[in-house]
Amino acid sequence: MTDAPLRRFAFDDELTIVTAAEHRERLLAALGDSHGVRLDLSGVSDLDTAGLQVLLLARDEGARLGLPVEFSEPSPAVAEVLALTRLEL
Amino acid sequence: MSLDDSMREALDMFVTEARDLVQQLEEGLLEMEGQPPGGDAVNAIFRAAHTIKGSSGLFGLRHLVSFTHVVETVLGSVREGTLPVTPGLVSALLPCVDHISSMVEGIPEGRLAPDSSQEAEGARLLSGLEPYLSESAAPIAVPAEAPPVTETAWHLDLRFGPDCLRNGMDPLSFLRYLSSLGEITHVVTETDRLPEAAAMDPETCYLAFAVDLTTAAPKSEIEAVFDFVREDSDIRITPAESSLDAYVRAIRAMPENDRIGDVLITSGAVTEQEMAEALRVQQERTAKLGLAQPVPIGEILVEQGIVPRDIVDAALSKQRRTTESRSSQDTRTIRVDAARLDKLIDLVGELVIAQSSTGVAGAVVSEAQSEVMRLVDEVRHSALSLRMVPIGTTLRRFERVVRDVCMELGKEVSLVITGGDTEMDKALVERISDPLLHLVRNSLDHGVEPAAERRRHGKSPQGTLKLNAYHDAGNIVIEVTDDGRGLDRERILAKAVERELISPEAVLTDAEVYNLIFEPGFSTAATVSNLSGRGVGMDVVKRNVGALRGSIEVETTRGIGTTIRIRLPLTLAIIDGFLVGVGPSSFIVPLDRVTECVELPPGQLGRECMNLRGEVLPFIRLRQLFHIPGTEARRQSVVIVEQSGQRTGLVVDSLLGELQTVIKPLGVLFSRIKCISGSTILGNGEIALILDVGPLIADHSEREVAALGV
């Protein structure tokens, strides 16, 4: 099962409280019917706490379901937040 | 509550706070002029500027941040003593404060970014500050007792409230702001509160942060960063392990002090806010457990995680041997929404009314009942006093006005403020500030002579303007006094004749002549200056004061000076009234308008007037005016009221006596009724209308004139 390709999931705008709910639904849906997702973070123009929580949720949910969740190509906005919070995704 | 609403609420709070800070800035700048470098005033305004900058940053108001930053830099040099305080510097900074104020005022109007004119203004002001920013400004003095700036390591536990995201507060912004205060050496982002996907609300904050910060900023400044989220968040700021020894040593080196709170606050380990919170917890717990002795404050501080035990122990040993002598708590203030206060006063008013009707029902007043009466009365008094604020803040605002006007006119005037502690209704304070401004400007412009002229008359070249406030017989009196040239009786008369305000033959008393300056369109100033002399102002002042149920008078001596005295009721919420009855209806005449009461003489003169000690007194029959049915009482009375020097009688059936009553405004439905200013509920549950004497008389004379066909 782990051999199956990861489903790519991209963001093309801000990941903030404005869009957090919507992204959460999409992400959970994507996780639900795949063998894991690869989150392409290169398009995230803005990231706030709400957005960060969605990313963390995806990570935890993946772990709970036993599905791989990978993060790739963090945009400068994402990198700044990760540096600030000393978090590693 | 939508995101927008919450955000707006937070912004509102910011604006309110920023206004206070701007006020502090302005007052501090004016005070700073007369102070040695490194004084308290400088420290205070530096903090104010810093706080404005910091909080603006939290809201992403970049224009405010960048502008205030420059001002703060200049103030920083002043604080360090590298930049001397000169009138030039203060003059350059004051308009900057105005600019900050205008940017702040723009926020509630939705202007979160500067428009082009504002931007230009900002750039112009900043270029004015440039000379003070240059590195070449030579240090004038090395501050002898500069507080040693040492960096301290702090441990911050930040548990933001679940609603903070919805309220527009992003914890990440706080982290970013902290990194501007000092160096963030370590962060642990705690994600364990994040629930499972299904239970997670994307707009709720689940993250918590543990931050190690090394900074030179005092604890209070770190604490201030979280002012906007403190209420529903759990923010703990403790000295890091590595700093403990330093605190313990500092406490040991301190002079004797029997108050552990003071010791801890002075050492910097605890802020005043934390101490206040701990004291509150202490009180609560003591009351709840019914303890004779309060729980030691040190225990509470340790338990709340505010300071480590080591530091408390050090402070305790300092305090040991001194007996328990806890004095009263520091005076603290809270902000209360004015509408809530009004609601309270309204309810208390109802309570007074309801209570007085119980007094009527039972003929015999028991001891318990009279005790309730006394308490209700006390409650009413303290409820009304909640609205009272000292007038000093408003008066001190004029320091700036005096300074600016003097610069413009090239005059030298010192402002002396007395009676700043005098209290009056907040609503009144706000509404009297504009009329006062007119008076102050007028005195500076027309009253105080230029220095050369003063010297010629043997006066000191520097003029004096005095603002004085005091209580007098249930009123507040505000005086604006200058030691200028005084009013010119002859010129006022000549002008009044020219303007056809009076006939050339009229014989007027001094008071009547001086009152002419309050007539619309009256100005005797030879030149129209930028400030005053356009003939608007004094009449507006008089009208505004009148609208507040106040009066204004002038006292002047040629060559010595002028005093303008405003007399206002302490509050607009209650009125001293005179209750009269007409048939089944009751009316209240404002007591300050009533001059006397006489009996209506039998036998009528031809028209609606009577003979009062040889003078003709016109009167108004309230029964006719309000079309009240029924027959007249056998003996009617006349209440004589005075308005603008004109006396008129009001014919009523019965005089019911004086009373103090809470005014209830009329509903919008009756907003166009002119002769009634409000209503009140009497002890027996009936309604009495409050007469508005001014329009009542004016209206009546108009009708008289019309009736006579003149």
Side-chain angles (χ1 to χ4, degrees):
Chain A
M1 203 160 93
T2 46
D3 300 339
L6 294 183
R7 174 148 165 192
R8 187 175 168 279
F9 189 95
F11 300 87
D12 52 3
D13 196 3
E14 58 183 327
L15 181 48
T16 63
I17 185 155
V18 183
T19 58
E22 172 199 337
H23 282 303
R24 183 186 74 139
E25 296 314 316
R26 280 181 53 212
L27 256 172
L28 293 179
L31 256 178
D33 57 22
S34 70
H35 303 290
V37 290
R38 178 192 298 270
L39 299 178
D40 178 355
L41 301 176
S42 63
V44 178
S45 59
D46 196 3
L47 180 68
D48 69 358
T49 305
L52 180 63
Q53 289 184 157
V54 170
L55 295 182
L56 293 170
L57 183 81
R59 185 189 67 182
D60 294 357
E61 187 67 6
R64 195 176 67 87
L65 298 173
L67 295 171
V69 174
E70 286 181 13
F71 299 89
S72 68
E73 296 185 57
S75 69
V78 177
E80 191 258 351
V81 169
L82 293 182
L84 194 67
T85 54
R86 313 291 204 271
L87 279 176
E88 278 172 22
L89 289 174
Chain B
M1 193 185 281
S2 75
L3 177 68
D4 269 8
D5 278 350
S6 316
M7 184 68 184
R8 204 165 297 133
E9 221 166 76
L11 261 180
D12 279 350
M13 196 164 136
F14 163 71
V15 170
T16 315
E17 231 128 283
R19 277 187 195 136
D20 280 357
L21 290 167
V22 167
Q23 173 88 25
Q24 276 175 29
L25 263 178
E26 188 173 310
E27 279 173 18
L29 279 174
L30 293 164
E31 199 182 320
M32 185 171 87
E33 250 181 318
Q35 267 196 6
D40 286 346
V42 184
N43 278 327
I45 54 179
F46 178 77
R47 287 254 165 277
H50 186 79
T51 312
I52 294 177
K53 185 180 88 167
S55 341
S56 321
L58 293 178
F59 287 97
L61 302 164
R62 293 214 178 82
H63 60 305
L64 250 175
V65 175
S66 59
F67 187 86
T68 315
H69 174 73
V70 180
V71 174
E72 186 197 336
T73 311
V74 173
L75 290 174
S77 323
V78 175
R79 185 168 75 146
E80 282 154 22
T82 54
L83 184 65
V85 178
T86 59
L89 174 66
V90 175
S91 296
L93 283 172
L94 280 174
C96 293
V97 175
D98 292 342
H99 188 63
I100 295 174
S101 167
S102 85
M103 287 191 278
V104 169
E105 293 309 325
I107 296 167
E109 292 157 24
R111 280 185 284 125
L112 299 183
D115 54 30
S116 57
S117 74
Q118 225 174 10
E119 220 160 336
E121 171 74 2
R124 193 182 63 73
L125 289 170
L126 288 186
S127 71
L129 286 182
E130 217 130 88
Y132 303 105
L133 283 169
S134 65
E135 297 294 315
S136 61
I140 49 160
V142 180
E145 272 186 275
V149 180
T150 45
E151 298 216 322
T152 313
W154 297 96
H155 181 77
L156 284 71
D157 258 319
L158 312 177
R159 293 178 188 282
F160 293 93
D163 289 328
C164 74
L165 299 178
R166 270 185 287 271
N167 292 342
M169 298 290 176
D170 186 359
L172 294 178
S173 323
F174 289 92
L175 288 186
R176 284 191 195 104
Y177 185 67
L178 280 180
S179 62
S180 78
L181 277 183
E183 195 194 342
I184 295 184
T185 51
H186 193 66
V187 180
V188 176
T189 303
E190 292 166 23
T191 58
D192 47 338
R193 279 196 300 165
L194 204 62
E196 276 188 19
M200 184 236 191
D201 174 356
E203 290 183 1
T204 297
C205 178
Y206 299 102
L207 299 184
F209 302 90
V211 179
D212 286 336
L213 174 73
T214 305
T215 174
K219 187 172 185 182
S220 56
E221 198 171 321
I222 307 173
E223 193 182 57
V225 172
F226 302 99
D227 273 352
F228 290 101
V229 286
R230 180 171 324 284
E231 237 168 70
D232 38 30
S233 305
D234 186 5
I235 307 292
R236 298 273 161 88
I237 304 166
T238 45
E241 293 283 327
S242 57
S243 316
L244 285 186
D245 283 354
Y247 279 104
V248 172
R249 272 199 304 277
I251 289 172
R252 285 199 187 124
M254 259 188 236
E256 291 301 324
N257 194 326
D258 64 339
R259 297 191 62 189
I260 184 169
D262 286 350
V263 172
L264 289 170
I265 291 172
T266 317
S267 76
V270 177
T271 65
E272 293 194 21
Q273 199 164 352
E274 287 170 341
M275 187 54 79
E277 171 67 18
L279 283 171
R280 194 185 60 72
V281 172
Q282 182 188 38
Q283 274 190 342
E284 252 179 34
R285 190 166 311 170
T286 311
K288 199 163 75 187
L289 302 178
L291 299 175
Q293 286 278 322
V295 186
I297 192 77
E299 290 301 316
I300 291 172
L301 286 168
V302 172
E303 183 192 296
Q304 300 266 312
I306 295 170
V307 271
R309 183 168 293 279
D310 294 4
I311 293 182
V312 170
D313 285 348
L316 275 174
S317 66
K318 179 113 262 167
Q319 185 204 27
R320 203 167 297 153
R321 244 185 272 164
T322 44
T323 42
E324 186 91 323
S325 62
R326 207 163 288 287
S327 57
S328 65
Q329 275 195 35
D330 299 337
T331 45
R332 282 183 284 146
T333 55
I334 52 164
R335 270 176 212 288
V336 180
D337 191 346
R340 289 194 196 179
L341 270 189
D342 289 345
K343 174 80 183 154
L344 174 69
I345 288 170
D346 210 40
L347 284 174
V348 171
E350 304 259 352
L351 182 64
V352 171
I353 290 157
Q355 186 261 339
S356 63
S357 62
T358 63
V360 171
V364 185
V365 179
S366 70
E367 197 175 324
Q369 227 172 344
S370 68
E371 178 68 3
V372 171
M373 253 186 246
R374 186 186 66 76
L375 287 173
V376 167
D377 209 46
E378 227 163 86
V379 167
R380 189 184 64 161
H381 268 115
S382 44
L384 286 171
S385 73
L386 286 179
R387 293 187 56 91
M388 296 294 179
V389 294
I391 194 176
T393 334
T394 308
L395 295 185
R396 272 196 298 282
R397 232 172 264 174
F398 290 112
E399 281 181 24
R400 171 74 188 280
V401 176
V402 171
R403 191 180 188 281
D404 286 358
V405 172
C406 287
M407 290 280 234
E408 198 168 323
L409 297 172
K411 291 180 182 176
E412 231 180 280
V413 180
S414 71
L415 177 68
V416 181
I417 295 174
T418 45
D421 298 339
T422 316
E423 292 191 329
M424 67 191 292
D425 193 292
K426 176 111 169 57
L428 271 174
V429 169
E430 277 160 15
R431 287 165 67 182
I432 200 62
S433 144
D434 269 1
L436 274 179
L437 180 67
H438 271 297
L439 293 180
V440 167
R441 286 189 166 175
N442 226 53
S443 287
L444 292 173
D445 200 9
H446 302 316
V448 180
E449 316 90 326
E453 193 183 327
R454 291 181 67 90
R455 260 190 226 103
R456 256 203 321 279
H457 289 104
K459 291 182 176 177
S460 123
Q462 193 187 42
T464 310
L465 184 74
K466 283 191 198 140
L467 291 175
N468 185 25
Y470 57 91
H471 282 160
D472 179 47
N475 286 311
I476 181 165
V477 181
I478 307 167
E479 294 177 334
V480 180
T481 307
D482 65 58
D483 63 346
R485 53 170 79 98
L487 293 178
D488 187 339
R489 190 191 148 103
E490 297 314 312
R491 248 175 77 195
I492 293 173
L493 265 181
K495 192 85 176 181
V497 172
E498 182 196 316
R499 290 273 156 97
E500 294 177 355
L501 293 169
I502 54 167
S503 76
E505 300 89 44
V507 180
L508 299 178
T509 65
D510 282 358
E512 282 168 334
V513 173
Y514 298 139
N515 270 326
L516 285 172
I517 63 170
F518 295 113
E519 291 300 318
F522 193 91
S523 171
T524 58
T527 55
V528 171
S529 74
N530 196 10
L531 296 160
S532 48
R534 276 189 236 103
V536 289
M538 291 307 252
D539 63 314
V540 178
V541 170
K542 175 146 191 173
R543 211 170 46 235
N544 287 346
V545 170
L548 300 174
R549 300 210 314 265
S551 63
I552 189 163
E553 63 190 47
V554 188
E555 202 175 274
T556 181
T557 315
R558 191 91 184 95
I560 306 288
T562 308
T563 296
I564 297 184
R565 195 169 291 126
I566 296 178
R567 199 174 277 273
L568 293 169
L570 285 180
T571 173
L572 293 177
I574 51 171
I575 187 172
D576 279 315
F578 190 74
L579 186 64
V580 297
V582 182
S585 311
S586 305
F587 295 94
I588 289 171
V589 187
L591 196 59
D592 53 352
R593 295 275 177 254
V594 177
T595 55
E596 60 181 313
C597 300
V598 296
E599 200 171 313
L600 183 70
Q604 296 292 313
L605 294 170
R607 287 184 39 228
E608 299 285 75
C609 53
M610 60 180 268
N611 180 340
L612 178 73
R613 294 187 291 272
E615 277 181 51
V616 176
L617 180 82
F619 57 70
I620 303 168
R621 290 178 191 272
L622 290 186
R623 182 182 290 279
Q624 281 175 18
L625 185 69
F626 293 111
H627 305 293
I628 299 165
T631 52
E632 288 171 3
R634 210 160 47 79
R635 294 172 59 172
Q636 289 187 295
S637 300
V638 181
V639 178
I640 301 172
V641 293
E642 191 172 324
Q643 172 76 24
S644 334
Q646 186 193 350
R647 290 202 288 183
T648 310
L650 303 174
V651 179
V652 300
D653 284 353
S654 52
L655 304 174
L656 301 171
E658 292 176 25
L659 84 171
Q660 200 182 48
T661 180
V662 179
I663 299 176
K664 291 185 162 291
L666 292 175
V668 273
L669 198 59
F670 304 109
S671 61
R672 285 171 58 201
I673 294 178
K674 270 205 284 183
C675 304
I676 306 288
S677 61
S679 68
T680 190
I681 304 172
L682 298 174
N684 58 10
E686 290 196 4
I687 289 173
L689 297 174
I690 301 168
L691 296 179
D692 197 353
V693 173
L696 186 75
I697 294 175
D699 231 41
H700 187 69
S701 354
E702 269 171 39
R703 237 172 299 135
E704 282 275 277
V705 170
L708 288 173
V710 179

